[in-house]
């Protein structure tokens, strides 16, 4: 069995053509970032909706966590915009291919984490009738 380095694999791998509907490179990565940002913003909204069920002593914790989740959503939206701009600069560089692969994997991981947290928070607020934190 022959082992190859990561650089060799990246060079041999065809370029990822993650194009958007308009044909420009980087569209799918940008879409992934915006969907991720939307999921994290929805998580923030669910945390705020959970305040209807809470006691007065846990309001601050829920407000702080909702602000943190909104900050995460803003960061993911900003990152999507920056990644698309970087991708359009030099799309065929081997370093850019590695970067796109890492960005896709990390973007999907953060999206799945956000979906999991959103599902759990939604269950806590709407099924159990309790605030998310408290």
């Amino acid at each position: 069995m022959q082992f190859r380095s990561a650089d060799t694999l990246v060079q041999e791998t065809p370029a990822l053509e993650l194009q958007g509907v308009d044909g420009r490179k980087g569209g799918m990565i940008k879409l992934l970032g915006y969907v991720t940002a939307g999921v994290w913003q929805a998580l923030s909204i669910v945390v705020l909706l959970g305040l209807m069920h809470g006691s007065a002593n846990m309001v601050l914790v829920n407000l702080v966590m909702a602000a943190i989740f909104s900050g995460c959503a803003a960061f993911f939206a900003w990152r999507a915009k920056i990644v698309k701009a970087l991708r359009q600069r030099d799309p065929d560089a081997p370093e850019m291919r590695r970067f796109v692969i890492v960005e896709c994997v990390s973007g999907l991981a953060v999206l799945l984490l956000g979906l999991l947290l959103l599902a759990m928070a939604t269950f806590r607020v709407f099924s159990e009738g309790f605030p998310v934190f408290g």
Side-chain angles (χ1 to χ4, degrees), residues 44-56 58-64 66 125 130-133:
S44 174
I45 292 169
V46 169
V47 170
L48 290 175
L49 288 174
L51 289 174
M52 296 182 301
H53 304 292
S55 61
M58 296 307 284
V59 170
L60 183 61
V61 173
N62 284 284
L63 288 176
V64 167
V125 170
F130 293 113
V132 177
F133 299 99

Side-chain angles (χ1 to χ4, degrees), residues 66-115:
I68 289 173
F69 292 145
S70 287
C72 289
F75 170 72
F76 295 135
W78 172 78
R79 188 175 81 169
K81 181 180 176 184
I82 296 300
V83 166
K84 183 175 182 198
L86 284 173
R87 178 78 173 133
Q88 288 178 342
R89 268 189 150 169
D90 192 13
D92 297 325
E95 296 85 13
M96 187 57 65
R97 282 192 226 148
R98 263 184 257 133
F99 176 72
V100 167
I101 291 169
V102 169
E103 183 62 30
C104 286
V105 169
S106 64
L108 284 172
V110 171
L111 176 62
L112 291 175
L113 177 66
L115 286 170

Side-chain angles (χ1 to χ4, degrees), residues 27-51:
M28 289 300 291
I29 294 174
K30 185 176 179 182
L31 178 66
L32 176 65
Y34 285 147
V35 168
T36 302
V39 166
W40 282 81
Q41 189 61 43
L43 177 59
S44 174
I45 292 169
V46 169
V47 170
L48 290 175
L49 288 174
L51 289 174

